[in-house]
Amino acid sequence: MEEFLKKYNTSEEGLSSSEVTKRQNQNGLNELKEKKKKSAVMLFLEQFIDVLIALLIVAAIAAYFVGDVIDSCVILIAVLLNTVIGFIQEYRSEKAIEMLKSVTTSYAVVRRDGQVQKIDAKELTIGDIVILEEGDKIPADLVLIETNRLKVDESNLTGESVPVEKSPKEEAYMDSNVTLGNGVGIVTAIGMDTSIGKIAEVIQEEKGETPLQKKMDKLGKTLSVIAIIVCVFIFIFELFRGIPIVETFLTAVSLAVAAIPEGLPAVLTLTLALGMQQLTKSNAIVRRLLSVETLGSCTVICSDKTGTLTENKMTVRDAFFYNENKSLEINALCNNSTIRDGKTIGDPTDGAVLKYSQDNNYFKEDLQEKFPRVDEIPLDSSRKMMTTIHENGEKYLVLTKGAPEIIIGKCKHIDNNGSVEILDDSVKETLTEKINEMSDNALRVLGIAYKNTENIGDNVENDLIFTGLVGIIDPPKENVDKSIAACKKAGIKVRMITGDHLKTAASIAREIGILTDGKVIDGETLDKLSDEEYFEMVDDIQVYARVKPEQKMRIVETLKQKGEIVSMTGDGVNDAPALKNASIGVAMGSGTDVAKESGDMIIQDDNFETIVTAIREGRKIYDNIKRFVKFQVSTNVGAILTIVGTSIFMLPVPFNPVQLLWINIVMDGPPAQTLGMEGSERNIMTRQPETGDILNKKVLIKIFIAGLVMAIGSIALFSYKLAIGASQKQAMTVAFTLFVMYQLFNAYNSKSNSAKKSTYLYLAIIACFILQVLIVYIPELQIIFRTTSIGLTDWILIFIIAATILVSNRIANKIVVE
């Protein structure tokens, strides 16, 4: 104790008032500090800092310049919808630090100026002497100088599933709960320097971009570069042809409109929102819209053990009884826990054996009436056993449970179903084998014994009669092994990260299928590894035990450096930094508010199986995003190649800006939106996660082939109509209608191979076809779109040529395998 008093320049009497003031001026107050938040206005304006959004605004301006105010407004509404939804999602995720502040304690009992005082916890300073009692929440980080049967629940901070027995010289952390005994500690850290303060600092950091954001940003930049290059080329080319500058400008504007998928943000938002809605039905709440897709593309799930993979409820897993009835009776009576309304109150180990007795019809209340308790010798770290003494007629019934080797050492006999026999070496050998077997399975083993006596003096715990052993563990959740097997089948690695014992973690991980041929390391070993050494071996480590919060961060960051898309699951305050910094943080519904506010997704039923459901939904969403992006971009490529081709062949532009907007917004809209509602691919959970670009090289080749087919067909039919003497308006109407039909056939090409029928897609295709017919034949719409009526022969040619996109798609799929 003296070394710590000297180290922190304090005394057993505590700090003086003047010294407290001095240290508070130096170190500040014991409170969590909140970083300055962005204003709501700034958050909203930041939504516009996006390449795709910028392109859409350019398209809206271009549409306005060509006199199409309505289409300009439609584009701006799509922009506004996208930014408002993004703003709402970010604004709602700014509460994690507030939740963390709410869990910290509000008062502390200290010794100052030789007097015991109750003060506001924020007034604590380094060197304060803090007095802890059962039920207290620890108000700062402490080093303990006195303990009396002190047990602390650190599960929120360390992940340890049972309260930890504390001894002098050990640390106690801010926000931990004293579950038993009392103690005295010296404040070693306050505020943001505490363990929980470091967590607060991390969870206030900005969340990085999701994989989908990065992919969409890359796509937007690519489209913008293409649009600028082609527009400049066409503008210069048309000028050299001697075409008036106004007409040249309109052509360039038309091309800009053709190059930009105006409906993309709206369809993306709708698809993600539908995914969120579907996940809510499956007990998964998504807090960030773009996170829906991220889980589907994750390659590694780092899962907390306690409360995520296991029940977070100590349970008797195994028992070895010489006298079952007597053992169950002892478990119920030598016990300080209670069960009310199905919930255990008290020490988890006591609760486990009490419930086991109750499940076997041995009820504590009934037995206490028969054998009233008259005394207790509590569990402590030196004796490692607990004893209760009860009235039994004119005698006393002494009941004991504790560390099995200690209990066996106190016994001379065994109760073999009512027959008291000598506890000889052969029995001890049998018991040792059973204890080792239970311990190898990571069970916490308790020995059980009793005796009847007339005197309860100093030797009351000697000469006991042994009755049996119980093995206790926090068991895995039902079907969690199947969920982990499903993840592996889907190419997703699962890693266990826990604050629990290495042996316990390894046993559970092996049982549920996480630990196969990989390594198990603890936090101490991890600390000894250099960054380079850990980077090389991180792929081989399947289980991490005795891990601290900052180490969880290191694990997540190293996996991300390896190129992994990392999902982190957890429920405690200790999980919050890793949840915040993972590619997607998945918090458990029963977890702390801090964990839930730090995560991107909340699993309401705490079921790992729900994560698998979310992965399936995420993959379906990603597939659908790829589907409609491929469809929309192929439309844009087709329009660009058509306009470029007509310019090269010295032909008029076959589409006017209004028709191009119709193609991009309306024709792409309903089909693209319904492509975002397609069912799951048949191989969705048997393939590797997709981490590449939305449009990889092979997909781009297919898009170019589709665009080229559209351009060749449109230019050919347009040229043919002009060659046979049709008016330019009629030729444009035929080319425009052909291009629309190309899109409808191409939408069919893009549907999934799901067992679910594409009903919505078919309805969208039919609706768009009807709308196109109305545009061609209704006079009022002919004025707006500058179309004219066409004949049956034109329709036959249109359908025959448009059908070539179906043939070309089948050929492309065989030649270019994704």
Side-chain angles (χ1 to χ4, degrees):
M1 181 174 73
E2 291 298 328
E3 61 178 298
F4 293 112
L5 292 173
K6 186 176 181 181
K7 181 178 179 180
Y8 294 101
N9 195 19
T10 187
S11 69
E12 291 184 59
E13 301 299 312
L15 299 172
S16 66
S17 298
S18 59
E19 184 64 21
V20 167
T21 302
K22 179 183 174 183
R23 295 191 184 190
Q24 285 176 344
N25 290 335
Q26 287 177 343
N27 304 314
L29 296 176
N30 180 36
E31 57 187 359
L32 302 183
K33 295 174 182 176
E34 199 168 348
K35 289 186 179 179
K36 188 176 180 182
K37 290 182 182 179
K38 294 175 184 174
S39 67
V41 173
M42 184 58 67
L43 274 177
F44 181 74
L45 292 176
E46 283 185 353
Q47 305 305 312
F48 291 91
I49 305 173
D50 180 87
V51 176
L52 264 178
I53 295 297
L55 283 173
L56 289 176
I57 292 171
V58 169
I61 294 168
Y64 177 79
F65 270 109
V66 297
D68 205 322
V69 179
I70 294 174
D71 289 311
S72 178
C73 291
V74 169
I75 298 171
L76 290 175
I77 288 170
V79 169
L80 193 61
L81 175 67
N82 192 67
T83 53
V84 167
I85 291 175
F87 164 72
I88 291 171
Q89 291 294 323
E90 285 197 33
Y91 187 74
R92 287 171 58 189
S93 66
E94 295 291 323
K95 298 178 183 176
I97 184 62
E98 295 172 19
M99 293 295 179
L100 193 56
K101 288 170 77 174
S102 70
V103 301
T104 54
T105 188
S106 58
Y107 71 89
V109 177
V110 298
R111 195 182 293 140
R112 287 179 177 173
D113 295 318
Q115 302 291 320
V116 174
Q117 306 172 27
K118 186 174 182 178
I119 64 168
D120 191 321
K122 72 178 182 181
E123 300 293 330
L124 280 174
T125 192
I126 306 295
D128 258 323
I129 304 294
V130 177
I131 300 169
L132 303 171
E133 297 289 344
E134 187 173 322
D136 284 352
K137 184 171 281 191
I138 295 174
D141 282 3
L142 313 172
V143 60
L144 297 166
I145 54 176
E146 295 177 24
T147 61
N148 177 27
R149 297 165 46 219
L150 182 66
K151 281 192 174 184
V152 178
D153 179 4
E154 299 177 336
S155 59
N156 275 346
L157 284 165
T158 66
E160 173 62 73
S161 55
V162 295
V164 180
E165 190 169 342
K166 293 289 184 178
S167 302
K169 298 187 178 182
E170 292 185 334
E171 291 179 307
Y173 304 110
M174 185 178 185
D175 191 43
S176 301
N177 295 295
V178 178
T179 60
L180 185 70
N182 53 64
V184 179
I186 301 174
V187 174
T188 59
I190 60 172
M192 298 302 285
D193 293 327
T194 62
S195 52
I196 200 169
K198 290 171 184 174
I199 291 173
E201 191 169 3
V202 171
I203 64 177
Q204 291 184 80
E205 297 295 329
E206 289 289 327
K207 180 93 176 180
E209 287 186 324
T210 68
L212 183 59
Q213 281 176 307
K214 292 176 183 176
K215 292 169 187 176
M216 294 305 291
D217 186 58
K218 184 176 181 180
L219 176 62
K221 288 176 180 175
T222 303
L223 292 175
S224 64
V225 170
I226 292 170
I228 291 168
I229 292 172
V230 175
C231 287
V232 170
F233 167 77
I234 290 296
F235 186 78
I236 295 171
F237 187 80
E238 293 279 286
L239 277 179
F240 275 108
R241 284 180 57 195
I243 296 172
I245 192 167
V246 174
E247 191 175 334
T248 302
F249 173 73
L250 288 176
T251 302
V253 168
S254 299
L255 197 54
V257 172
I260 301 167
E262 290 87 351
L264 187 57
V267 180
L268 178 64
T269 301
L270 177 65
T271 303
L272 292 172
L274 288 171
M276 284 178 66
Q277 186 180 22
Q278 190 62 41
L279 283 172
T280 300
K281 294 176 183 177
S282 303
N283 290 314
I285 298 173
V286 179
R287 298 183 64 253
R288 293 181 72 205
L289 196 63
L290 286 163
S291 300
V292 179
E293 174 274 335
T294 309
L295 191 60
S297 59
C298 81
T299 57
V300 178
I301 297 177
C302 294
S303 178
D304 180 43
K305 178 184 78 70
T306 307
T308 305
L309 299 170
T310 64
E311 297 283 358
N312 194 18
K313 184 167 56 179
M314 299 301 287
T315 304
V316 174
R317 166 69 71 86
D318 195 5
F320 179 77
F321 296 142
Y322 284 102
N323 186 328
E324 182 176 3
N325 295 334
K326 198 67 181 179
S327 295
L328 293 170
E329 186 179 277
I330 296 168
N331 284 339
L333 283 170
C334 184
N335 202 304
N336 287 328
S337 288
T338 56
I339 297 175
R340 291 178 189 166
D341 301 322
K343 293 183 179 180
T344 302
I345 301 169
D347 181 80
T349 302
D350 269 3
V353 295
L354 178 61
K355 188 175 187 305
Y356 186 68
S357 293
Q358 185 172 290
D359 289 345
N360 286 278
N361 297 315
Y362 282 79
F363 295 93
K364 183 177 181 179
E365 295 78 9
D366 298 340
L367 291 168
Q368 281 180 329
E369 289 183 11
K370 186 177 178 182
F371 305 107
R373 183 188 292 193
V374 295
D375 201 2
E376 173 188 351
I377 306 174
L379 173 73
D380 63 43
S381 57
S382 58
R383 291 170 48 256
K384 295 185 179 178
M385 55 193 292
M386 170 189 178
T387 299
T388 57
I389 303 169
H390 304 258
E391 290 181 3
N392 185 14
E394 295 183 356
K395 293 185 177 182
Y396 295 101
L397 179 63
V398 178
L399 309 177
T400 301
K401 71 176 191 294
E405 65 279 6
I406 301 292
I407 299 296
I408 292 169
K410 297 281 185 179
C411 295
K412 291 185 177 180
H413 299 85
I414 63 168
D415 183 340
N416 193 353
N417 289 321
S419 173
V420 177
E421 302 171 0
I422 297 294
L423 197 164
D424 57 23
D425 289 342
S426 65
V427 174
K428 287 182 179 179
E429 186 177 340
T430 300
L431 289 173
T432 300
E433 289 177 1
K434 190 62 185 177
I435 291 166
N436 289 338
E437 179 188 325
M438 288 183 174
S439 297
D440 288 342
N441 289 322
L443 302 182
R444 183 180 183 187
V445 186
L446 293 179
I448 308 162
Y450 78 99
K451 75 175 180 180
N452 286 293
T453 183
E454 295 180 354
N455 301 307
I456 48 174
D458 293 338
N459 295 320
V460 71
E461 291 182 316
N462 293 328
D463 299 326
L464 301 174
I465 303 168
F466 189 83
T467 67
L469 303 167
V470 289
I472 303 164
I473 198 169
D474 177 15
K477 290 186 174 179
E478 189 178 359
N479 294 327
V480 71
D481 55 338
K482 294 178 182 176
S483 300
I484 287 165
C487 287
K488 288 184 176 181
K489 194 174 181 181
I492 302 167
K493 293 168 277 190
V494 183
R495 302 290 183 253
M496 178 190 287
I497 304 177
T498 179
D500 220 332
H501 296 277
L502 188 143
K503 200 170 186 179
T504 303
S507 176
I508 292 289
R510 193 174 289 109
E511 181 179 345
I512 62 181
I514 290 178
L515 183 57
T516 51
D517 54 355
K519 296 179 180 178
V520 181
I521 69 169
D522 58 18
E524 186 177 348
T525 305
L526 181 60
D527 272 344
K528 292 176 182 176
L529 295 173
S530 67
D531 289 342
E532 292 76 18
E533 289 172 329
Y534 179 48
F535 185 83
E536 288 300 316
M537 65 185 296
V538 66
D539 289 335
D540 300 324
I541 302 170
Q542 294 179 324
V543 178
Y544 299 83
R546 288 297 191 196
V547 171
K548 297 176 184 177
E550 57 271 22
Q551 292 173 323
K552 291 186 180 185
M553 284 274 292
R554 185 186 182 193
I555 295 165
V556 168
E557 290 299 330
T558 304
L559 286 168
K560 286 170 72 176
Q561 288 168 17
K562 275 277 188 178
E564 307 282 7
I565 296 177
V566 184
S567 168
M568 172 72 193
T569 72
D571 60 354
V573 172
N574 65 310
D575 297 318
L579 288 170
K580 183 82 174 181
N581 283 274
S583 306
I584 179 167
V586 181
M588 298 295 111
S590 66
T592 60
D593 288 338
V594 180
K596 286 186 275 191
E597 288 296 332
S598 298
D600 303 294
M601 183 180 290
I602 300 168
I603 303 299
Q604 287 183 292
D605 58 2
D606 288 13
N607 195 335
F608 195 87
E609 192 173 356
T610 303
I611 298 174
V612 178
T613 302
I615 289 170
R616 174 184 288 275
E617 187 64 27
R619 288 191 171 192
K620 184 184 82 172
I621 288 166
Y622 186 61
D623 284 346
N624 287 343
I625 289 170
K626 280 178 57 181
R627 195 168 281 118
F628 68 66
V629 167
K630 178 183 174 183
F631 168 69
Q632 287 190 294
V633 173
S634 64
T635 299
N636 302 127
V637 170
I640 290 170
L641 291 176
T642 301
I643 294 172
V644 170
T646 51
S647 296
I648 291 172
F649 291 114
M650 306 299 182
L651 293 170
V653 176
F655 316 127
N656 60 53
V658 178
Q659 291 171 348
L660 281 168
L661 281 168
W662 170 257
I663 291 169
N664 279 15
I665 296 178
V666 181
M667 296 310 298
D668 279 3
Q673 287 172 6
T674 52
L675 285 173
M677 299 163 65
E678 286 286 278
S680 303
E681 298 281 340
R682 296 178 192 273
N683 68 338
I684 196 162
M685 291 301 286
T686 58
R687 69 188 193 215
Q688 295 295 307
E690 295 194 37
T691 57
D693 294 333
I694 291 177
L695 302 179
N696 57 41
K697 289 182 180 179
K698 291 180 179 180
V699 174
L700 286 171
I701 291 171
K702 290 183 180 181
I703 286 172
F704 181 78
I705 291 171
L708 189 61
V709 169
M710 293 180 207
I712 292 171
S714 299
I715 294 169
L717 187 55
F718 182 60
S719 301
Y720 169 74
K721 292 298 293 182
L722 290 175
I724 63 173
S727 67
Q728 186 170 330
K729 180 182 280 190
Q730 190 176 45
M732 287 181 69
T733 302
V734 171
F736 170 45
T737 304
L738 171 61
F739 202 84
V740 168
M741 295 308 299
Y742 268 135
Q743 304 323 305
L744 299 185
F745 282 124
N746 200 32
Y748 177 82
N749 281 339
S750 303
K751 73 182 185 68
S752 74
N753 68 352
S754 169
K756 176 185 172 184
K757 291 183 179 179
S758 303
T759 307
Y760 292 112
L761 176 62
Y762 296 147
L763 290 174
I765 290 172
I766 293 168
C768 288
F769 175 72
I770 292 170
L771 286 171
Q772 183 63 25
V773 171
L774 295 176
I775 287 169
V776 171
Y777 293 106
I778 292 179
E780 290 79 8
L781 293 177
Q782 287 177 337
I783 295 170
I784 296 172
F785 289 92
R786 281 167 275 172
T787 57
T788 187
S789 300
I790 57 178
L792 179 60
T793 305
D794 292 327
W795 278 109
I796 293 171
L797 283 172
I798 286 168
F799 271 95
I800 291 172
I801 297 171
T804 59
I805 198 78
L806 299 175
V807 178
S808 68
N809 183 66
R810 285 178 176 269
I811 295 170
N813 285 337
K814 288 184 178 181
I815 296 173
V816 185
V817 181
E818 291 181 41

